[in-house]
């Protein structure tokens, strides 16, 4: 066994990094590949030839999943340049492994004919998946390339929302009958010659394609060849409906340590299967989306999207933020008279607002996560509100007390210190209350609690903080 | 096939929800279970008896993973009450499936003897895992319950950091020799009678326990029984070292659609294996931790932790936030003279700070995610900085321009409007620059870029925003 083999994961990691480094730091390399300059125009032709040869060697050595990851880590021009070097036979697999954010860039410059040619190189299940997800205006032409049975399946799958089991399931399954022996199953498998990826079990069906059980590959291997399928199969397997929510299903996969599971329709007929690799993608995407959405970031923007796209996808939250900041500004403006009498208030008010924003964001992050992990049930809400308010009260008294003392000392004004402490306690309590209520109410309204929750809580704690602090100051200090 | 079976996932979900609802809304039920009140004291004894019977039935019907999830969704008292009802034979499995946040609560009230009894009920691999992770003061006694060979293994595993492959791997593997036939492998497997969970392949070893290849269960089933292992095995499998970082390994599992993989030492000797169920946990935890850490939340706090624990785990970030807010406040204080001359500045300055914080958080979220997904390589940093600054410049000109116009109109002061626009452009540029640089520098320093990054960027955009806006106002408006 050579060192090369032993380190294959590390070697591939190094090759990906090298490829990215070559393409991003050697601008002439990318330009040459894109045909913007020809080799003849180059001053340092020999050096460029070497680099080109190395890039080509790397591209042909790296397997499709690694090429997909490399494409995701490149700016648009370099992405195009690399894509041109990927051989036709690999392109389908690369597309399958790449995220949708990258597709537009890759498909952009390909002709429909070239795209159709790529589809021919992948499995039927993968082809169905690609046809569903590729740009809409191509679907018609792409559908025509599929055999009639598969065309019907694409139509069927396209009915389901993107985050449903139906949109993620695979059609290629191996089925057996319950009355045959394990020896017969083994003969059948050898005749088939291959199994779909991540096959850890076969599906046992009765009349009408109805699922009656599952037969693990382990079970086949561990039992005597003479036994019947019905004697050793799992007759009560976990199964899903095509309408099930993918994120919930992911938790069941985790909970039950599943590698694959059957998808059945409302009559118990086997439609297809779900596999762990799709589930892992769901988990990655789900948490990624939650993080982005809390910060007011589009789920569609990738880190290398061009400036114009980033501006387009981010403007909504920026505008929202500007509106809420404007409201906060108007609240302060209402207390102009108070501030003009005691300018110190202007320096102190951001502390009250800031500490509220911090606490509110801690609470809301925790609640959004707990909702996602399905840890919050109707019975718990009162407990959660009381808990967060309790934490806020203690923190308010401790840190508000300290800041009140500091204020007293700095401005030599005990009443100002008292107002500071009281305002901090009140704003922290409000932050805690809203931090629990906002995601709860959004869930009740059927909306995703992660979307923009951070922007919302900050708006409330800012406006509220300014109002509480300046209001108290007006009452007690003037 | 009954309806009951068909809906097993849904049925279990309903049962979990029912159990949580019963325990959290019927306070006397929990109190009775905890022995705080006896049945005799109850007024409505019959009703309580019914509820108790239902809770008992649910607990005995739900499998361990569901019980673990239910425990996580309960406040402390209810958690204790439920735990008392879990029968001894199930407790080990429940502990294994529950997250570490819950353990303290459960183990708290158990005697060492009871804990040892639980350990006896689980597999040796699970026992090793539990012994490693249970509270330190018990380790010595728990170790004594293990056979000498396993004790050595625990010591070996405990050397590795918590986020390394070494700490996650399992020791129970099935190995075969390369020179035997597939028929011999099948005979061997039947004699073994069982395989460890998530076994999708056997490991082929040579002399000295050296890994020479992998033999998929699929390969055994698809090939003729007379073939030799060496003819059909995968001789260049993906393998990991015990020192490898778990999050990176998770990406390799995703990239290569692995279900299990070998862990080998530096000499290529087989040490154990990693399975997809551990990897799925790693993915969930990783993204969960990232989200919490960005918001300045401890990774150890669960949503039902008591108030005192929440106060303890959150105070560091609150104190940090208070310090940064205090610095921002001192910056404003330095411009007290300017504000007293033009009180409108006090109402406008939070807009400049707020919009910077929003943009900074968008940028930093995107960069932290891209770093986690390994999409950022040294060659790209300049591109990213320029891209984010470009987005910030456009947004600054557009939204800063609008706000400048609004300010002009509100206060009838063109110069004030101009200062507003300029301050917004500059603060957005700074937010973008720091949003890229902070996570990059933290990564370079070997720290987790997610930790408190949101708190840090907000501090910079607040302080910077106030300084830029009030500084420009002092220069141009007085």
């Amino acid at each position: 066994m050579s060192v090369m083999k032993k380190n294959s994961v590390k070697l591939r990691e190094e090759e990906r990094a090298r490829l990215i480094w070559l393409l991003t730091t050697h601008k002439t390399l990318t330009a040459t590949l894109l045909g913007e300059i020809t080799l003849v125009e180059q001053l340092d032709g020999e050096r460029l030839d070497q680099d080109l040869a190395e890039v080509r060697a790397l591209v042909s050595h790296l397997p499709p999943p690694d090429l997909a990851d490399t494409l995701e880590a490149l700016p648009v021009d370099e992405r195009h340049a690399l894509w041109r070097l990927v051989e036709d036979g690999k392109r389908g697999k690369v597309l399958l492994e790449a995220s949708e954010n990258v597709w537009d860039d890759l498909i952009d410059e390909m002709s429909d004919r070239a795209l159709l040619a790529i589809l021919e190189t992948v499995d039927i299940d993968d082809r169905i998946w690609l046809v569903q997800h590729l740009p809409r205006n191509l679907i018609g032409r792409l559908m025509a390339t599929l055999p009639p049975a598969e065309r019907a399946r694409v139509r069927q799958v396209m009915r389901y929302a993107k985050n449903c089991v139906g949109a993620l399931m695979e059609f290629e399954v191996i089925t057996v009958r319950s009355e045959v022996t394990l020896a017969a199953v083994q003969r059948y498998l050898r005749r088939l010659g291959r199994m779909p990826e991540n096959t850890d079990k076969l599906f046992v069906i009765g009349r009408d394609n109805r699922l009656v059980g599952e037969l693990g590959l382990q079970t086949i291997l561990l039992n005597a060849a003479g036994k019947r399928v019905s004697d050793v199969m799992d007759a009560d397997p976990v199964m899903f409906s095509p309408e099930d929510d993918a994120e919930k299903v992911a938790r069941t996969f985790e909970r039950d340590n599943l590698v694959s599971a059957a998808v059945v329709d409302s009559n118990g007929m086997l439609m297809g299967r779900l596999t762990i690799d799709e589930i892992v993608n769901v988990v990655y995407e789900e948490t990624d989306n939650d993080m982005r959405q809390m910060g007011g970031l589009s789920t569609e923007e990738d880190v290398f999207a061009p400036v114009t796209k980033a501006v387009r996808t981010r403007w909504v939250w920026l505008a929202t933020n500007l509106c809420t900041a404007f409201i906060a500004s108007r609240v302060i403006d209402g207390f102009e008279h108070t501030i003009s009498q005691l300018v110190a208030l202007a320096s102190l008010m951001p502390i009250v607002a800031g500490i509220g924003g911090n606490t509110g964001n801690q609470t809301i992050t925790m609640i959004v996560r707990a909702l996602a992990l399905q840890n919050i049930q109707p019975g718990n809400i009162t407990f959660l509100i009381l808990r967060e308010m309790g934490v806020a009260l203690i923190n308010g008294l401790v840190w508000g007390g300290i800041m009140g003392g500091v204020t007293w000392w700095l401005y030599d004004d005990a009443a100002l210190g008292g107002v500071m402490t009281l305002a901090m306690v009140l704003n922290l309590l409000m932050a805690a209350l809203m931090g629990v209520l906002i995601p709860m109410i959004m869930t009740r309204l059927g909306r995703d609690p992660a979307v923009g929750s951070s922007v919302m809580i900050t708006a409330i704690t800012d406006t509220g903080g300014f109002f509480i602090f300046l209001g108290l100051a007006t009452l007690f200090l003037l």
Side-chain angles (χ1 to χ4, degrees), chain A:
Chain A
M1 195 168 53
S2 74
V3 177
M4 178 101 167
K5 275 185 189 173
K6 244 195 57 192
N7 290 315
S8 67
V9 174
K10 280 211 179 60
L11 180 74
R12 281 157 54 190
E13 190 182 329
E14 282 161 20
E15 288 184 345
R16 289 200 305 273
R18 173 83 183 152
L19 196 50
I20 292 167
W21 187 82
L22 279 170
L23 286 168
T24 48
T25 53
H26 295 48
K27 291 288 167 204
T28 50
L29 190 64
T30 303
T32 311
L33 283 170
L34 291 175
E36 286 164 8
I37 33 176
T38 57
L39 275 172
V40 192
E41 289 174 40
Q42 289 298 315
L43 286 175
D44 193 6
E46 196 173 328
R47 171 72 194 290
L48 188 68
D49 276 350
Q50 275 175 19
D51 289 344
L52 268 178
E54 188 180 355
V55 168
R56 272 182 225 281
L58 287 170
V59 171
S60 78
H61 182 259
L62 279 170
D66 293 81
L67 286 175
D69 281 0
T70 312
L71 285 166
E72 305 218 17
L74 286 173
V76 179
D77 281 347
E78 284 79 359
R79 218 172 252 176
H80 281 149
L82 178 57
W83 183 241
R84 292 202 178 176
L85 292 180
V86 179
E87 46 199 283
D88 284 346
K90 263 183 183 174
R91 283 185 163 188
K93 285 275 176 208
V94 174
L95 267 188
L96 280 169
E97 300 284 343
S99 76
E100 291 170 46
N101 292 333
V102 184
W103 284 359
D104 285 346
D105 287 339
L106 305 185
I107 295 170
D108 250 10
E109 57 172 36
M110 291 176 68
S111 66
D112 286 8
R113 182 186 303 270
L115 208 48
L116 296 178
I118 280 181
L119 284 185
E120 308 266 306
T121 65
V122 298
D123 283 352
I124 190 72
D125 260 322
D126 293 340
R127 209 184 305 174
I128 290 175
W129 194 80
L130 279 176
V131 168
Q132 281 175 68
H133 289 86
L134 289 176
R136 291 267 153 186
N137 53 345
L138 281 176
I139 288 182
R141 295 201 47 192
L142 294 172
M143 287 277 269
T145 68
L146 297 174
E150 271 67 38
R151 224 176 300 160
R153 282 184 169 177
V154 175
R155 288 220 183 81
Q156 189 189 359
V157 167
M158 287 178 76
R159 285 208 322 263
Y160 298 110
K162 211 183 138 190
N163 55 350
C164 278
V165 165
L168 297 172
M169 67 180 173
E170 289 171 19
F171 292 105
E172 225 188 340
V173 293
I174 300 180
T175 55
V176 291
R177 310 287 297 218
S178 63
E179 61 272 15
V180 300
T181 62
L182 293 182
V185 171
Q186 284 214 36
R187 278 196 304 276
Y188 172 61
L189 288 176
R190 276 192 209 118
R191 216 162 48 232
L192 275 179
R194 62 172 287 279
M195 295 186 209
E197 212 171 6
N198 282 331
T199 295
D200 68 322
K201 57 179 62 145
L202 313 181
F203 298 103
V204 186
I205 53 171
R207 281 164 297 103
D208 312 332
N209 205 27
R210 201 176 290 271
L211 186 72
V212 295
E214 290 178 353
L215 182 68
L217 299 189
Q218 291 197 9
T219 312
I220 306 176
L221 287 167
L222 291 174
N223 287 284
K227 286 206 174 149
R228 282 190 193 287
V229 168
S230 53
D231 296 331
V232 294
M233 72 181 187
D234 174 6
D236 184 18
V238 173
M239 33 187 151
F240 300 100
S241 311
E243 294 85 11
D244 284 347
D245 174 64
E247 296 185 9
K248 277 196 179 181
V249 169
R251 307 217 183 271
T252 307
F253 262 73
E254 191 249 275
R255 196 176 288 129
D256 292 2
N257 294 339
L258 298 175
V259 170
S260 71
V263 180
V264 295
D265 69 11
S266 53
N267 299 317
M269 315 252 257
L270 182 65
M271 296 179 73
R273 63 177 194 136
L274 262 185
T275 55
I276 186 75
D277 56 313
E278 283 299 335
I279 295 297
V280 171
N281 288 339
V282 167
V283 174
Y284 269 116
E285 269 182 31
E286 172 197 349
T287 39
D288 199 41
N289 288 352
D290 276 0
M291 266 184 88
R292 285 157 170 265
Q293 285 169 337
M294 281 196 71
L297 211 57
S298 156
T299 55
E300 274 160 36
E301 182 183 344
D302 79 306
V303 75
F304 296 104
V307 171
T308 47
K309 188 175 177 193
V311 170
R312 219 165 47 235
T313 53
R314 290 190 204 169
W315 79 268
V316 180
W317 284 116
L318 260 176
T320 311
N321 188 265
L322 208 57
C323 288
T324 61
F326 187 74
I327 294 168
S329 153
R330 288 307 89 197
V331 169
I332 300 171
D333 194 63
F335 293 97
E336 193 169 314
H337 176 69
T338 310
I339 295 175
S340 70
Q341 301 242 343
L342 192 59
V343 182
L345 296 177
S347 349
L348 294 173
M349 64 187 190
I351 299 183
V352 178
I355 202 86
N358 184 281
T359 295
N361 272 303
Q362 285 183 335
T363 302
I364 216 165
T365 305
M366 169 148 276
I367 301 292
V368 167
R369 290 308 297 154
L371 281 169
L373 297 170
Q374 301 179 303
N375 275 348
I376 296 185
Q377 305 283 344
N380 300 331
I381 297 172
T382 324
F383 171 86
L384 284 174
I385 290 179
L386 289 177
R387 190 189 91 116
E388 289 300 320
M389 303 270 288
V391 175
L393 186 65
I394 293 174
N395 279 329
L397 291 173
V398 173
W399 300 106
I402 292 174
M403 271 325 289
V406 171
T407 307
W408 183 359
W409 172 71
L410 269 177
Y411 295 94
D412 199 16
D413 183 342
L416 183 58
V419 165
M420 187 74 191
T421 305
L422 188 55
M424 279 179 68
V425 171
L426 290 177
N427 201 28
L428 284 179
L429 286 175
M430 190 182 64
L433 181 65
M434 300 312 282
V436 180
L437 285 183
I438 290 177
M440 295 289 185
I441 291 170
M442 286 173 75
T443 309
R444 186 65 57 91
L445 295 177
R447 298 195 38 209
D448 184 338
V451 177
S453 54
S454 176
V455 174
M456 235 183 296
I457 191 88
T458 309
I460 290 174
T461 52
D462 273 4
T463 314
F466 295 142
F467 181 78
I468 291 169
F469 181 60
L470 297 174
L472 288 174
T474 310
L475 278 181
F476 294 113
L477 302 179
L478 294 192

